[in-house]
Every structure is written in structure tokens, then in C-alpha cells.
Amino acid sequence: MVKLMTYAGPAAADAPGTRTGGVPYTPSAFEWPRCRECAGPMQFLAQVSLADVEPGSSGLLSIFMCQNDPGLCDDWDASAGGNRAFAFGADAVHVPTPPGDGVTLLDETCAVHFEQVDVEDYLEAPEWWHQRSGRPAREVLGQVGGQAAWLQNDETPQCDGCAHPMTFVVQLEEGHDHRTSANFGGGGCGYGFRCRSCGTAAFLWQR
Ligand SMILES: [Zn+2]
Ligand SMILES: [Zn+2]
């Protein structure tokens, strides 16, 4: 079984819970992340309510990536500093004002619907879903929980805190509309992870 995320229409930029785009919910002390390569502010891509991933969990996984110089900031790498992921707790109730410089937001905020589908491999799910729903395969926005479906080698990151492999949380497609999508190299997937013990998070993408 795979738990799919599918496009559920436009959402308000500050809609609570899981969505792609819009403005992140953060703790009050949050500082908008900047790219280690170019020092520009990162683009907010998505937040995932951890309760949607594992019943009984709380908080948000929040994902940012530099798009100020697409392709030049190693934004695909989990540790190069061109992206950031955060595991926020229940205090993530503030909506910060994005910095005035750089590329900080996507052009559409998308609501997400969750659907359990009976496929073994997530990579087969968009076509499977398209066949059954009649909707474009591109409206599959990703998956949560279970196993990451790698497009290349398994690149599960190690936690900076405890050096254990991190837990897979979310796999993101670029989006349902190429005009408002995230940029994972043109057809790639993003992968978000966390360490439950340390409260750390990581992100990378492949294509
Ligand atoms: Zn950058
Ligand atoms: Zn850890």
C-alpha cells in the first residue's frame, strides 16, 4: 500500500496542515533559511503535518530550497546547504513574513488529499491512479510514510545528531502545473526525512 498525496485544488497561502506552496507555519523564533552557496533566501516548498504520516504524531515537516540561481547552489544535496528541512513542534503556529529579496514562494498554494492505493511501488502509482480516476497523473503530488521510491540510488540521509539513518516522511513531485511547480530538475522527486529522537530533518532531490 502507498499513501498518495493528490491535488485537491488551490488553498489559502496560510492554510493549516499539509500543503505545497504558501507561507510556512513556524515557531516564533524562526529565521527564514538562507542558502549557504549564494546567501539568498530559500523558496518554501511544502509543509507536511506529521499526523498525516503517522497517527499520533504531531508537528510539521517543512521544506525549503534555494531557487535564486537554479542549478548552481547544489540544492539537490541533503548536506550542501542549498536546501533546508525542519521538524517543527506544536509551537509552529506563526506565519512569518518572507524576506524581501530572492525567490521565496511558489506561485500556487495547493491543498492535498490523501488516498491509500493498492500498489507495491510508488513509482507505478501516478499511472495507476490516472487509470482509475481519469485525472491527470500529474495531479499526484507525492506520497507520505512507508518507503521512499528512489529514482536513483538510495540516498537516505544520516542524522547530524545521532548518525542513524533518518526516517522517510514524504516524497514530493514537482507539482500538478509546470507554471507553479517546484524545480527538481524537470521531472525529479524530492525526499523529506526526519529523526524522531533528535528532532532533525533533511531534504534532497533526485531525477
Ligand atoms: Zn543559492
Ligand atoms: Zn538523530
Side-chain angles (χ1 to χ4, degrees):
M1 292 290 275
V2 164
K3 190 170 181 180
L4 281 191
M5 303 165 65
T6 58
Y7 177 61
D14 62 352
T18 300
R19 58 177 150 81
T20 64
V23 183
Y25 276 42
T26 69
S28 57
F30 178 75
E31 216 174 299
W32 197 281
R34 285 187 174 263
C35 174
R36 206 188 294 157
E37 295 284 329
C38 74
M42 293 187 189
Q43 183 180 48
F44 172 67
L45 299 184
Q47 65 182 24
V48 176
S49 174
L50 294 170
D52 291 330
V53 183
E54 287 178 3
S57 293
S58 62
L60 292 170
L61 186 85
S62 186
I63 295 168
F64 296 75
M65 181 175 93
C66 182
Q67 279 298 289
N68 297 301
D69 283 310
L72 296 180
C73 293
D74 293 345
D75 52 85
W76 57 85
D77 190 277
S79 54
N83 68 54
R84 282 291 298 277
F86 299 89
F88 292 139
D91 60 341
V93 295
H94 299 268
V95 177
T97 303
D101 58 323
V103 178
T104 53
L105 303 176
L106 291 171
D107 289 332
E108 183 184 359
T109 309
C110 298
V112 172
H113 173 74
F114 290 99
E115 202 172 318
Q116 295 271 4
V117 298
D118 190 15
V119 294
E120 289 290 309
D121 181 351
Y122 165 74
L123 297 179
E124 293 164 9
E127 182 57 28
W128 187 97
W129 183 81
H130 162 67
Q131 294 292 339
R132 279 155 187 81
S133 68
R135 290 169 58 189
R138 190 140 191 181
E139 292 191 4
V140 172
L141 301 181
Q143 65 159 342
V144 293
Q147 305 286 323
W150 297 104
L151 299 180
Q152 305 292 337
N153 295 329
D154 182 340
E155 291 187 282
T156 301
Q158 281 194 348
C159 173
D160 283 342
C162 66
H164 286 108
M166 298 178 87
T167 302
F168 172 68
V169 175
V170 63
Q171 180 160 357
L172 290 173
E173 302 288 341
E174 292 183 312
H176 78 105
D177 180 342
H178 67 91
R179 291 167 300 185
T180 61
S181 290
N183 176 11
F184 303 142
C189 282
Y191 302 85
F193 294 82
R194 68 166 174 148
C195 175
R196 284 194 199 86
S197 327
C198 303
T200 53
F203 177 77
L204 63 104
W205 64 262
Q206 296 184 340
R207 66 150 287 180

mmCIF file of all heavy atoms in Angstrom, residues 35 37-38 66 68 73, ligand 1:
data_model
loop_
_atom_site.group_PDB
_atom_site.id
_atom_site.type_symbol
_atom_site.label_atom_id
_atom_site.label_comp_id
_atom_site.label_asym_id
_atom_site.label_seq_id
_atom_site.Cartn_x
_atom_site.Cartn_y
_atom_site.Cartn_z
ATOM 1 N N CYS A 35 20.554 30.324 1.727
ATOM 2 C CA CYS A 35 21.393 29.356 1.035
ATOM 3 C C CYS A 35 22.851 29.550 1.433
ATOM 4 O O CYS A 35 23.356 30.668 1.464
ATOM 5 C CB CYS A 35 21.207 29.573 -0.458
ATOM 6 S SG CYS A 35 22.277 28.588 -1.494
ATOM 7 N N GLU A 37 25.328 28.620 -0.335
ATOM 8 C CA GLU A 37 26.117 28.935 -1.534
ATOM 9 C C GLU A 37 25.986 30.404 -1.939
ATOM 10 O O GLU A 37 26.976 31.074 -2.164
ATOM 11 C CB GLU A 37 25.647 28.067 -2.702
ATOM 12 C CG GLU A 37 25.891 26.586 -2.528
ATOM 13 C CD GLU A 37 27.343 26.196 -2.746
ATOM 14 O OE1 GLU A 37 28.013 26.865 -3.560
ATOM 15 O OE2 GLU A 37 27.794 25.248 -2.102
ATOM 16 N N CYS A 38 24.750 30.894 -2.069
ATOM 17 C CA CYS A 38 24.534 32.234 -2.645
ATOM 18 C C CYS A 38 24.032 33.237 -1.624
ATOM 19 O O CYS A 38 23.890 34.413 -1.956
ATOM 20 C CB CYS A 38 23.557 32.158 -3.813
ATOM 21 S SG CYS A 38 21.838 31.899 -3.337
ATOM 22 N N CYS A 66 16.837 26.513 -2.246
ATOM 23 C CA CYS A 66 17.265 27.723 -2.941
ATOM 24 C C CYS A 66 16.891 27.653 -4.418
ATOM 25 O O CYS A 66 17.168 26.662 -5.090
ATOM 26 C CB CYS A 66 18.767 27.928 -2.817
ATOM 27 S SG CYS A 66 19.288 29.459 -3.636
ATOM 28 N N ASN A 68 17.403 30.791 -6.227
ATOM 29 C CA ASN A 68 17.890 32.096 -6.675
ATOM 30 C C ASN A 68 18.802 31.975 -7.898
ATOM 31 O O ASN A 68 18.831 32.862 -8.740
ATOM 32 C CB ASN A 68 18.598 32.799 -5.529
ATOM 33 C CG ASN A 68 17.628 33.082 -4.380
ATOM 34 O OD1 ASN A 68 16.639 33.777 -4.574
ATOM 35 N ND2 ASN A 68 17.883 32.511 -3.211
ATOM 36 N N CYS A 73 23.381 26.000 -6.871
ATOM 37 C CA CYS A 73 23.560 26.041 -5.414
ATOM 38 C C CYS A 73 23.530 24.655 -4.770
ATOM 39 O O CYS A 73 23.346 24.537 -3.566
ATOM 40 C CB CYS A 73 22.521 26.948 -4.777
ATOM 41 S SG CYS A 73 22.747 28.682 -5.218
HETATM 42 ZN ZN ZN B 1 21.548 29.588 -3.502
#
